Amino acid sequence: MSTETRIFIRAELTEDGKGRLSKVIRFGNGKRVEIPINKDGSMRWFDDSKLMRK
């Protein structure tokens, strides 16, 4: 198992012609985390309030 971690930006062109950016963190054990990036450079997070019970 490697202790190396790689961080890079992934740019993808979707079928509708729009682009999608994300920051990818790949760990030495093969697992990775991909965080979507908005056009203004901020990170897009899931809205947890949708999961809250009332």
Side-chain angles (χ1 to χ4, degrees):
M1 181 169 72
S2 173
T3 59
E4 184 176 303
T5 302
R6 294 180 182 217
I7 301 172
F8 56 95
I9 302 294
R10 178 178 174 189
E12 183 178 4
L13 185 62
T14 59
E15 291 179 7
D16 59 359
K18 296 182 179 178
R20 189 174 3 184
L21 285 176
S22 54
K23 186 170 191 173
V24 180
I25 304 169
R26 185 174 292 159
F27 300 96
N29 61 4
K31 295 186 179 188
R32 71 181 197 174
V33 175
E34 193 167 331
I35 304 168
I37 301 173
N38 294 322
K39 289 182 180 181
D40 65 356
S42 63
M43 302 219 182
R44 189 172 359 145
W45 298 102
F46 180 75
D47 184 8
D48 291 340
S49 65
K50 295 179 182 179
L51 299 175
M52 299 293 191
R53 294 183 184 175
K54 294 182 180 181

